[in-house]
Structure formats: C-alpha cells, structure tokens
C-alpha cells in the first residue's frame, strides 16, 4: 500500500513537495517513478529514482525538481522548486517492489505493467 501526501496551491516561483510512503515493502532495491497528469492531457513521467539513489528527470523539470528517498522510513519525496503554471496537475507515485529491478530508463519509461503499487494522486496547482 502507498500513502501519498503533500501538494496544494502555490504561486508561480514557489515550492511544494509531495511524498509517498510504502507500507509493508521495502523499495530500497527497486525503483519508483513520479508521474503527473494535467487536465485533459496524458500522464507523463516527471522523474525516477533507484534504490541506490540514481535519478532521471524530464527535461521540463531538470534543475527545479528533486527526488529523494528515506530508506529507513520507506518514503520517497518529490521536492518542487521554482514552480510554473504548466506544472499544474495530479502527481502520482508508483513503485516497482518485486521481481527483477528494471533499469532506471525502464523505470522512467513508465510502462504501467512494471509497477506493483500506486499512490492515489495528489493535486498540485500553480497560479500565475
């Protein structure tokens, strides 16, 4: 199970974070991806992190977003700085927890069949 928290409303240039806690599993050996979906648009990958700390980000968020994890608490956090109105959307975390760990690229690709657990989604709204 995944418990997602954070998000909210902020003005452009501000910061927010979104966190996900995995209950009952350790994802330190696997991977997770943050997705976002804007109204009327397809879901897109924002960034991914492996258990060893390797990360990959979408070009649109590089230098502004940071993914981190706390292995002791089984949590992953997406820190979003210098937010823009186009960052508005529902942010969703997803975890690969069992089986063969995919590569970082595969994890970032976001193929739904890879992921074992999904957060419920957290809205983020950035006003101009």
């Amino acid at each position: 199970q995944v418990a997602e928290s954070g998000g909210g409303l902020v003005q452009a240039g501000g910061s927010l974070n979104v966190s996900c806690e995995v209950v009952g599993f350790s994802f330190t050996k696997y991977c997770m991806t943050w997705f976002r979906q804007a109204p009327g648009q397809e879901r897109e990958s924002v960034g991914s992190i492996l258990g060893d700390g390797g990360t990959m980000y979408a070009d649109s968020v590089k230098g502004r977003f940071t993914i981190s994890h706390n292995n002791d608490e089984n949590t992953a956090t997406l820190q979003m700085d210098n937010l823009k109105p186009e960052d508005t959307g529902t942010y969703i975390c997803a975890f690969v927890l069992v089986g063969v760990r995919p590569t970082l690229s595969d994890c970032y690709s976001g193929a739904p069949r890879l992921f074992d657990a999904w957060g419920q989604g957290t809205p983020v709204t950035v006003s101009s």
Side-chain angles (χ1 to χ4, degrees), residues 27 30-34 47-57 67-69 76-77 95 104 107-108:
F27 69 91
Y30 301 102
C31 75
M32 71 86 58
T33 294
W34 284 100
S48 299
I49 187 169
L50 294 180
D52 61 7
T55 55
M56 179 176 288
Y57 297 94
I67 300 173
S68 61
H69 60 181
T77 298
F95 294 83
L104 184 57
C107 194
Y108 177 81

Side-chain angles (χ1 to χ4, degrees), residues 48-87:
S48 299
I49 187 169
L50 294 180
D52 61 7
T55 55
M56 179 176 288
Y57 297 94
D59 288 342
S60 60
V61 306
K62 282 181 181 177
R64 301 188 298 120
F65 289 14
T66 304
I67 300 173
S68 61
H69 60 181
N70 183 320
N71 293 340
D72 292 335
E73 297 179 356
N74 272 3
T75 59
T77 298
L78 176 66
Q79 176 66 39
M80 302 176 285
D81 299 316
N82 191 21
L83 281 159
K84 303 176 181 180
E86 52 263 42
D87 294 319

Side-chain angles (χ1 to χ4, degrees), residues 83-103:
L83 281 159
K84 303 176 181 180
E86 52 263 42
D87 294 319
T88 294
T90 297
Y91 284 71
I92 309 158
C93 59
F95 294 83
V96 178
L97 299 170
V98 296
V100 177
R101 190 188 74 178
T103 64

Side-chain angles (χ1 to χ4, degrees), residues 1-4 19-23 93-95 97 116-120:
Q1 294 183 350
V2 178
E4 195 168 334
S19 293
C20 281
E21 179 184 3
V22 178
V23 179
C93 59
F95 294 83
L97 299 170
D116 304 301
W118 295 77
Q120 75 274 21

